[in-house]
Amino acid sequence: MRHLAAILPFLILSLAATPLLQAQGRFIEKKQASIWFGVRDITPDSLANSGDLDFLNYLHSSDEMAEYQYLGLSAHLWFRGNWEADLKVGMYDDFAPTSLNLKAIWMPMKYLGYTAGFYSYPQLLNEFNMFHRLSDEGFYGDTDSNFRQRCVHETGIMAGLVMPVNYRFIHLTLYMNGGISTLSKFSEKVTQKMINGNMKREIRYSTKNSPALFFFPEAELGLDCFRIGEATLGVRGHASWYAVKRSVDYKRATWEWTYDNPVYEEVDNPAHRFSKLEIDAGLYLTW
Amino acid sequence: MRINSGRTPRVTLLISLAFMLRVVSSCIDPVWDFDFNFNKITVGNLDNSGIYWTDTDDNTMYSAAVAFKVTISDEMLLASGVLRRSDAGFTGFTPVSAMSPEPRYHPKHRITGISIVTLEDMSPGISAGTDVTGLFVAHLPHFKTHDFLYLDAEELPSALDQEFYPGEPSVSFQLFCRENIAGNAAQFLITVTLSDESTLSATTNPINLVRSE
């Protein structure tokens, strides 16, 4: 159901692009549909451990290769009156359309326009329980032996400039987006037991909203290759960079021995910079 | 018109009657309710040095991990074997028995209290003979199974007291000492009080205590 809700705006607007709705033909001047495959690389700050768990130290990242691969679909619609819509949906190997990049574009000038839209993508927090395993001496830091992993979503609204350049069969578009985003809130539980002792402890984390400004430039290059009747088939490439500096603060409740008398604490963590680079390529059909 | 009163219709009628009787009787809930008395208490040692406790016969424990398993039961009923469900195969199965998979044991006298008295000095402030129930926490299987932490021992009587006990006429729980006991030995007297004011008591084995490195 969650996936359906996410893809619904894309489906609605894609439907509008179909020739089944003839009335739209007078409203939509041109349509483009694309399919592409891409890679996503996350580069987070990793700060020294303090006395408190900092979830952003456990953003999934590796030095060897891009952390995520995704398949994407997009639609670009050119309306009358210099308005455009650009809709991109990406999915990991679970085929859940969880990466969204939806923009409305107004082009008052040939080479300069304005955008406003919505952006969201998922990423993983892995093995955050290692903080407790390493720092809580004398305890089994987490009695849960499973691989601890959580999916969190960066979600934000954005606005910016767009600069399209079209020369014969070459179409280059630059976007300079910025906005405000937040990491999805979540709750986690860590259970601990004293080594060679009876004492048990349970720690529950509930994160807070973490709004932060982000910068999100994008570049798109399209090359028309073939004409098939009224349609044009081409290849496309797209690159983007997302940068943000945020902290994940939370409320922590700790129980010892029994569920009586918990200790509640508010924890403010330092802000981390992290960035995301995406590169993808594919095919498009314009008609 | 002549009514056929031959052998075949009569046999068919008899078989049909037998079948109907079987259908009716199979829909009657069999008796799975038994009364019993708590008349036996046993105490065993637990090794709680790891993440999960295990039963052990070893009388050596870490001083911060003193733990016992207590079982109270109806010794007579357990010994008699009447509580064992017969494995009667196909004919013993009825629609209702499928819905009542476990017998239910109703205690004649309910559990009203539990006390723990130390038989050794636990620290300079806790001498032998002191009621140390408040220094223990407990775990009761199948009670709030989603919970990781313990129950206070004072909460045990109300948690243990049930209208009936499924499966067998006994109930077990684990006791864990909160104290890091200062001495080198520990032994406790555990007493369960029932609603008729009778008590069941058991003494733990003498425990040798070692310190964690």
Side-chain angles (χ1 to χ4, degrees):
Chain A
M1 199 60 198
R2 181 168 53 86
H3 296 161
L4 182 65
I7 204 169
L8 204 56
F10 179 77
L11 289 175
I12 291 170
L13 287 163
S14 297
L15 189 64
T18 65
L20 294 174
L21 297 176
Q22 294 299 322
Q24 297 288 352
R26 296 191 295 274
F27 182 58
I28 301 172
E29 293 181 333
K30 195 166 75 168
K31 306 151 197 166
Q32 184 182 79
S34 313
I35 185 167
W36 26 274
F37 179 79
V39 293
R40 176 177 291 166
D41 186 75
I42 306 285
T43 307
D45 265 355
S46 187
L47 305 180
N49 275 341
S50 66
D52 300 305
L53 168 59
D54 188 345
F55 285 101
L56 286 181
N57 272 342
Y58 299 92
L59 270 182
H60 175 44
S61 173
S62 75
D63 297 330
E64 296 170 358
M65 57 177 289
E67 288 83 13
Y68 305 93
Q69 297 81 43
Y70 55 88
L71 177 70
L73 302 169
S74 61
H76 196 110
L77 307 176
W78 285 264
F79 301 101
R80 285 180 182 275
N82 300 325
W83 283 92
E84 298 175 25
D86 188 70
L87 318 163
K88 295 186 177 73
V89 176
M91 56 199 86
Y92 295 146
D93 55 5
D94 58 0
F95 292 102
T98 47
S99 296
L100 298 174
N101 182 351
L102 314 176
K103 283 194 288 282
I105 303 165
W106 180 48
M107 294 293 302
M109 290 167 272
K110 185 177 180 184
Y111 295 109
L112 183 65
Y114 302 100
T115 69
F118 171 83
Y119 186 62
S120 181
Y121 77 94
Q123 54 189 333
L124 297 172
L125 290 172
N126 283 349
E127 292 193 289
F128 43 84
N129 56 341
M130 290 306 291
F131 169 81
H132 287 293
R133 288 195 170 153
L134 294 174
S135 62
D136 292 342
E137 289 183 14
F139 279 81
Y140 296 102
D142 183 14
T143 62
D144 186 345
S145 59
N146 292 308
F147 183 81
R148 300 293 294 270
Q149 184 176 73
R150 169 165 285 282
C151 183
V152 289
H153 290 256
E154 279 275 327
T155 302
I157 53 172
M158 60 187 180
L161 300 174
V162 55
M163 288 154 280
V165 178
N166 297 296
Y167 176 72
R168 297 178 62 188
F169 61 93
I170 302 170
H171 311 285
L172 175 67
T173 308
L174 301 175
Y175 297 97
M176 300 295 283
N177 306 305
I180 187 165
S181 65
T182 186
L183 200 69
S184 52
K185 292 194 290 184
F186 59 89
S187 298
E188 280 294 347
K189 179 173 79 173
V190 173
T191 51
Q192 303 184 318
K193 183 185 170 294
M194 182 185 281
I195 299 169
N196 298 334
N198 288 331
M199 184 185 174
K200 285 183 177 181
R201 189 158 62 193
E202 183 169 316
I203 304 166
R204 292 185 199 169
Y205 295 97
S206 298
T207 64
K208 303 175 181 176
N209 280 321
S210 53
L213 297 176
F214 69 90
F215 179 52
F216 182 43
E218 298 175 87
E220 262 183 23
L221 177 66
L223 302 174
D224 295 343
C225 296
F226 306 103
R227 288 195 66 81
I228 308 167
E230 294 293 311
T232 302
L233 182 70
V235 294
R236 71 182 289 283
H238 173 258
S240 69
W241 187 65
Y242 179 95
V244 68
K245 183 177 182 182
R246 79 162 80 256
S247 63
V248 172
D249 305 330
Y250 51 75
K251 184 177 179 180
R252 181 173 60 204
T254 306
W255 289 263
E256 291 185 348
W257 292 102
T258 68
Y259 287 100
D260 301 323
N261 306 317
V263 175
Y264 292 104
E265 296 163 285
E266 304 279 341
V267 176
D268 294 333
N269 276 314
H272 291 243
R273 287 181 195 281
F274 65 89
S275 62
K276 169 179 69 70
L277 177 67
E278 288 182 351
I279 298 173
D280 52 71
L283 301 172
Y284 67 81
L285 190 68
T286 306
W287 69 101
Chain B
M1 182 174 144
R2 183 168 178 267
I3 297 173
N4 189 344
S5 59
R7 183 181 293 170
T8 303
R10 279 181 288 173
V11 170
T12 305
L13 182 64
L14 279 173
I15 291 173
S16 299
L17 281 172
F19 174 75
M20 288 173 67
L21 280 171
R22 177 64 180 152
V23 167
V24 169
S25 66
S26 72
C27 292
I28 298 169
D29 195 354
V31 176
W32 292 114
D33 291 284
F34 302 94
D35 291 335
F36 77 102
N37 283 309
F38 284 122
N39 52 31
K40 185 184 181 186
I41 181 169
T42 56
V43 181
N45 296 344
L46 294 178
D47 176 2
N48 196 32
S49 56
I51 292 179
Y52 307 105
W53 63 78
T54 55
D55 293 334
T56 180
D57 294 327
D58 193 345
N59 287 325
T60 299
M61 295 182 187
Y62 285 102
S63 56
V66 172
F68 304 100
K69 177 181 179 181
V70 181
T71 302
I72 49 178
S73 59
D74 186 330
E75 185 181 24
M76 309 271 289
L77 203 54
L78 277 172
S80 70
V82 297
L83 55 95
R84 302 276 184 268
R85 285 189 63 187
S86 64
D87 185 12
F90 175 77
T91 55
F93 178 82
T94 66
V96 173
S97 70
M99 301 298 291
S100 305
E102 282 191 315
R104 297 182 299 193
Y105 293 91
H106 298 257
K108 289 179 182 171
H109 305 294
R110 310 278 283 263
I111 297 166
T112 57
I114 289 170
S115 71
I116 305 162
V117 173
T118 179
L119 303 179
E120 298 277 352
D121 293 345
M122 292 176 66
S123 69
I126 307 171
S127 56
T130 305
D131 185 320
V132 291
T133 310
L135 297 182
F136 276 79
V137 288
H139 178 265
L140 183 58
H142 313 304
F143 179 78
K144 293 184 180 176
T145 51
H146 60 285
D147 284 344
F148 172 74
L149 300 180
Y150 304 108
L151 289 170
D152 273 321
E154 282 94 346
E155 294 178 76
L156 253 182
S158 59
L160 283 171
D161 181 36
Q162 304 288 324
E163 188 181 339
F164 65 86
Y165 297 86
E168 57 182 15
S170 71
V171 61
S172 296
F173 55 94
Q174 291 82 28
L175 291 171
F176 305 89
C177 184
R178 288 175 181 245
E179 288 284 303
N180 187 352
I181 298 173
N184 295 321
Q187 190 174 22
F188 299 93
L189 173 67
I190 298 168
T191 303
V192 175
T193 305
L194 302 177
S195 55
D196 64 346
E197 302 300 324
S198 65
T199 58
L200 299 168
S201 295
T203 304
T204 66
N205 287 345
I207 305 298
N208 301 313
L209 299 177
V210 294
R211 312 277 154 209
S212 183
E213 294 294 321

